[in-house]
Amino acid sequence: MKYLNNIKSPSDLKSYSPEELEFICDELRQYIISTINEIGGHLAPTLGAIELTTALHYVYNTPEDKLIWDTGHQAYAHKVLTGRFDSFKTIRKYKGLSGFLKRTESEYDVFGAGHASTSISAGLGMACARDLDNEKFKVVSIIGDGALTGGLAFEALNNAGHLNKQLLVIVNDNDMSISPNIGAFRNYLVKIATNKSYNYVRGKIGRLITRLPKRLKFVETLLKKIESSAKNFFLPTTIFEDLGFRYFGPIDGHNISELVTTLENIKELNTPVVLHTITKKGKGLDYAEHDPVKYHGVKEKKDNPIKKNSEAPIFQNVFAEVSCNLAKENKNIVAITAAMREGTGLVNFAKEFPDRYFDVGIAEAHGVTFSGGLAVNGKIPIVAIYSTFLQRGYDQIIHDIALQKLPVIFCLDRSGLVGEDGATHHGVLDIAYMKCIQGMVVTAPKDGNELQDLLFTATNHVDGPFSIRYPKESSIDFDNTNSNIIKIGSWEVINKGDDILILAVGSMVKRSMDIVKNLKERDIKSEVVNCRFIKPMDLEYLENNCSKFSKIVTIEEGVLDGGFGESIAAWSSSKKLKNDILNIGLPNDFVDHGPRNILLEEVGLDSKALYEKIVKFVDR
Ligand SMILES: Cc1ncc(C[n+]2csc(CCOP(=O)(O)OP(=O)(O)O)c2C)c(N)n1
């Protein structure tokens, strides 16, 4: 790598001429493609942002000037250019670089990211702090058209237009979210980007400028003025201008010299500015350009499919099949996703029931309240959102759904530790945040068959909201036979024993069963209960059985504070029982990234660690 080897920080970039930046972009592209194809990670988003990243670090004086990336999945080139060229091979690996932005990783990652739509708010905050301190650095927030569908981004635009600070917002518009971007705002961006007359004039002028001999350089200014007038004529004003921003663009986000010139021209503007860049997701890699959905992220080459040890499909595939089956039987069932059609397993639902499928954009909060509206009018909404992203819709779950006892079904995908996406994406809070909501039924299936039954039960539950959490891993058992209604609040004893009581939740049921034999060999006979209802709990079982056991263990894949174990401890204490209770769960701390099985080992939730903890507990 002729160039990259010598770029240890963005200041090294500045020693090159604008013409050489193209070669640097080529190397970046080559390096990122070959590395990520080998080790896995987000691919297409970064390829679309290579020129933009290079131009930004070339023109701005980072890290004094602040570049704030939205979501962070497109910031791989930023990592490589900011001193992480060598460690780039460790991205998303255990103890390696994060796949998103992380302040503790680099001074160039000025604001952490992982969830979408945050960059304008964060940038505006920095701009205000700067002005309060009379500092002079520049603030640039980079946001994708997908992330721009999030309400938070609109709130920030509204606030920024009013505060009137220097803040450059770059819209990285590739017309894609993970799946094709949707929504009226997306249509609006397309309209600007594809205005035929303006683009015709722009193209002509652009070509003229590139052919101008050096001695006629002064004509360039004139031509640019003509272009600007053409823009005003064909695209009278944009919504951004109406909101108080100056708007520049649309410009070609892969034309590095145009990017550099434009950024240099607008750098000193002391107002809110939007620069609209048109990019291609997957740029420079044929197959990624043609199928950006598939190549949004790629797996590690040597990665084994999750099905390896089991013929059972992953929970997401069970959800995909069961939701379609239920929808065939019940015309009132509708499905809602917040821009995660593929991840949550709603691709077939969208195909089979296009009128009953709603992708609301990266707008979890809206998605929840929207489902409330559907429920009020007799629909049965299945809201499929990752546990971590549903945090965005928390007030809506309480105020719009639970308070009105609306029968909305929340399917909390990726609950527990997600693996390589790391701390921003682990779904470790949902037991705690759902459990405390009045009237919310909170469940976790032990396997695919139980997911099917819980979903069926949920579609028949009319008294209020119902939530189901499941991780991304094998569903252990799924034979797609008939669905059964499970009595609300009923647990299932799956192993009888009289020495110790193990109350296990969801993903921890199988892991508890895995150690029953080993415990028995040590003469510890364990009763294992599948606590599929985290709330309401099976009070009948607890009343009839708890006093028989002097030692109780609870196991859950969620943080201990506010978790299921606390419910058991509180119940036991309310009954003045004297059992010794061991709560096993996730630490009340942020867990980094790495393969899910390694992280489970690290936090002591693999079978071996569970066995050791329980033996120690019994022996003490
Ligand atoms: C709050 C939230 N919801 C969902 C996601 C999952 N997600 C990651 S990237 C992405 C698409 C972002 O699209 P865009 O901003 O246009 O970036 P692109 O990938 O097209 O470069 C989504 C939905 C997320 N990171 N955060």
Side-chain angles (χ1 to χ4, degrees):
M1 295 276 152
K2 178 175 158 204
Y3 294 97
L4 292 187
N5 277 324
N6 296 317
I7 299 174
K8 305 290 176 217
S9 78
S11 55
D12 296 328
L13 201 56
K14 295 182 201 300
S15 59
Y16 296 100
S17 69
E19 290 71 36
E20 281 172 302
L21 294 183
E22 272 187 37
F23 302 117
I24 294 171
C25 289
D26 286 346
E27 273 194 7
L28 269 170
R29 202 163 253 119
Q30 228 181 304
Y31 181 56
I32 290 170
I33 292 172
S34 61
T35 311
I36 298 306
N37 269 336
E38 201 57 39
I39 67 168
H42 287 103
L43 183 59
T46 275
L47 296 181
I50 285 190
E51 286 77 14
L52 193 52
T53 311
T54 310
L56 281 167
H57 279 295
Y58 189 70
V59 172
Y60 285 86
N61 183 26
T62 56
E64 280 72 36
D65 290 336
K66 315 295 177 204
L67 297 189
I68 300 133
W69 296 92
D70 204 282
T71 318
H73 64 312
Q74 78 294 56
Y76 288 14
H78 160 82
K79 296 207 178 212
V80 175
L81 292 177
T82 53
R84 287 167 276 183
F85 170 70
D86 291 325
S87 53
F88 186 64
K89 296 175 207 66
T90 69
I91 196 163
R92 290 165 61 89
K93 301 286 160 218
Y94 188 56
K95 308 272 182 210
L97 292 184
S98 160
F100 299 95
L101 275 309
K102 202 170 170 185
R103 280 168 58 81
T104 49
E105 190 178 290
S106 163
E107 60 180 334
Y108 293 90
D109 294 2
V110 291
F111 203 77
H115 288 200
S117 319
T118 62
S119 65
I120 309 177
S121 302
L124 184 60
M126 286 180 210
C128 286
R130 170 200 61 205
D131 292 357
L132 285 170
D133 292 344
N134 286 322
E135 291 190 85
K136 294 286 166 241
F137 59 82
K138 306 288 179 200
V139 181
V140 182
S141 298
I142 305 109
I143 186 162
D145 55 302
L148 206 49
T149 61
L152 186 59
F154 283 91
E155 291 169 29
L157 286 173
N158 178 49
N159 198 197
H162 163 71
L163 288 174
N164 199 28
K165 305 282 175 196
Q166 179 284 322
L167 171 68
L168 171 60
V169 174
I170 299 191
V171 179
N172 171 18
D173 180 4
N174 56 24
D175 200 20
M176 289 293 294
S177 193
I178 292 181
S179 28
N181 201 9
I182 47 94
F185 201 76
R186 174 261 162 190
N187 299 343
Y188 177 76
L189 290 179
V190 170
K191 215 159 92 186
I192 306 180
T194 56
N195 185 297
K196 277 206 180 108
S197 316
Y198 168 57
N199 280 330
Y200 175 78
V201 176
R202 224 182 128 252
K204 283 263 180 217
I205 290 178
R207 279 188 290 279
L208 267 175
I209 289 176
T210 52
R211 282 192 224 125
L212 275 181
K214 278 228 166 72
R215 66 195 159 78
L216 290 181
K217 263 293 177 206
F218 66 95
V219 182
E220 190 177 327
T221 321
L222 182 67
L223 288 170
K224 285 209 166 130
K225 283 213 167 110
I226 296 173
E227 187 203 319
S228 165
S229 311
K231 192 182 102 186
N232 291 339
F233 182 75
F234 292 118
L235 299 170
T237 54
T238 63
I239 193 169
F240 300 108
E241 285 156 310
D242 291 341
L243 285 173
F245 283 75
R246 290 195 62 183
Y247 171 87
F248 293 87
I251 66 167
D252 177 357
H254 298 299
N255 183 332
I256 186 99
S257 59
E258 189 178 6
L259 280 169
V260 168
T261 315
T262 311
L263 289 171
E264 271 164 355
N265 286 341
I266 61 180
K267 191 176 165 190
E268 296 307 326
L269 293 175
N270 257 331
T271 53
V273 173
V274 163
L275 174 62
H276 185 181
T277 63
I278 306 299
T279 56
K280 180 108 194 132
K281 202 159 172 172
K283 177 74 178 175
L285 186 62
D286 258 12
Y287 50 84
E289 282 191 28
H290 286 117
D291 194 349
V293 176
K294 182 168 172 197
Y295 293 97
H296 179 83
V298 295
K299 285 216 168 72
E300 182 176 0
K301 236 189 196 146
K302 63 175 174 42
D303 209 11
N304 296 316
I306 294 177
K307 275 170 78 175
K308 195 177 76 176
N309 292 326
S310 147
E311 281 311 304
I314 55 173
F315 277 107
Q316 287 61 31
N317 292 350
V318 174
F319 171 77
E321 202 166 325
V322 174
S323 54
C324 283
N325 292 345
L326 292 174
K328 267 180 214 135
E329 299 296 318
N330 188 337
K331 302 237 165 327
N332 279 326
I333 290 177
V334 291
I336 294 92
T337 178
M340 298 302 282
R341 180 183 67 187
E342 284 72 21
T344 56
L346 281 173
V347 173
N348 286 344
F349 195 106
K351 270 193 208 132
E352 282 188 48
F353 312 101
D355 298 341
R356 290 153 62 190
Y357 162 81
F358 301 94
D359 180 351
V360 295
I362 308 181
E364 291 80 5
H366 156 65
V368 172
T369 305
F370 169 72
S371 305
L374 286 160
V376 161
N377 275 5
K379 300 296 160 217
I380 304 171
I382 298 180
V383 182
I385 295 183
Y386 289 10
S387 161
T388 185
F389 300 145
L390 194 58
Q391 292 161 192
R392 282 276 168 91
Y394 195 49
D395 178 58
Q396 288 70 19
I397 301 174
I398 299 164
H399 177 269
D400 300 327
I401 308 300
L403 182 57
Q404 309 190 82
K405 297 191 170 46
L406 294 178
V408 172
I409 303 164
F410 295 101
C411 288
L412 278 71
D413 194 333
R414 307 298 196 276
S415 69
L417 297 174
V418 293
E420 287 78 2
D421 279 340
T424 53
H425 283 58
H426 293 317
V428 296
L429 298 174
D430 62 85
I431 294 181
Y433 74 62
M434 281 301 200
K435 210 190 72 177
C436 62
I437 299 177
Q438 302 92 322
M440 176 69 71
V441 175
V442 185
T443 72
K446 70 173 188 304
D447 61 23
N449 290 325
E450 202 161 67
L451 172 57
Q452 168 166 300
D453 290 345
L454 284 173
L455 259 174
F456 184 56
T457 306
T459 57
N460 284 281
H461 179 75
V462 291
D463 303 337
F466 196 109
S467 71
I468 311 175
R469 76 184 312 252
Y470 42 88
K472 187 177 181 190
E473 66 179 9
S474 163
S475 69
I476 305 161
D477 209 356
F478 178 60
D479 23 69
N480 198 10
T481 49
N482 288 341
S483 311
N484 302 300
I485 299 256
I486 307 182
K487 185 172 161 244
I488 303 287
S490 65
W491 290 350
E492 180 195 29
V493 177
I494 43 181
N495 193 64
K496 281 289 215 185
D498 42 29
D499 291 330
I500 185 164
L501 173 60
I502 299 178
L503 300 174
V505 173
S507 59
M508 291 296 125
V509 175
K510 159 94 171 50
R511 288 169 173 90
S512 301
M513 284 305 290
D514 287 346
I515 58 175
V516 162
K517 203 165 141 246
N518 293 350
L519 289 172
K520 204 165 169 198
E521 279 163 12
R522 282 193 69 125
D523 213 21
I524 304 169
K525 292 184 274 322
S526 52
E527 172 135 322
V528 178
V529 181
N530 164 23
C531 302
R532 55 201 176 187
F533 286 89
I534 297 164
K535 183 187 153 193
M537 300 195 293
D538 193 333
L539 297 182
E540 201 181 320
Y541 175 85
L542 288 172
E543 302 270 359
N544 293 336
N545 296 281
C546 266
S547 52
K548 288 191 241 159
F549 297 94
S550 62
K551 287 183 190 277
I552 300 178
V553 181
T554 66
I555 316 180
E556 66 199 292
E557 198 182 338
V559 291
L560 284 170
D561 274 2
F564 170 72
E566 274 194 2
S567 297
I568 296 295
W571 178 85
S572 172
S573 149
S574 75
K575 298 287 166 189
K576 309 223 171 349
L577 297 181
K578 297 274 174 281
N579 339 55
D580 207 357
I581 300 177
L582 172 66
N583 294 145
I584 302 178
L586 290 167
N588 299 317
D589 208 344
F590 292 102
V591 176
D592 268 330
H593 59 279
R596 181 168 151 75
N597 57 338
I598 292 186
L599 296 184
L600 284 171
E601 270 173 45
E602 183 187 278
V603 298
L605 283 183
D606 63 314
S607 299
K608 184 167 168 280
L610 292 178
Y611 169 78
E612 284 162 5
K613 283 182 190 174
I614 291 173
V615 167
K616 201 164 146 206
F617 177 57
V618 172
D619 287 351
R620 101 179 161 198

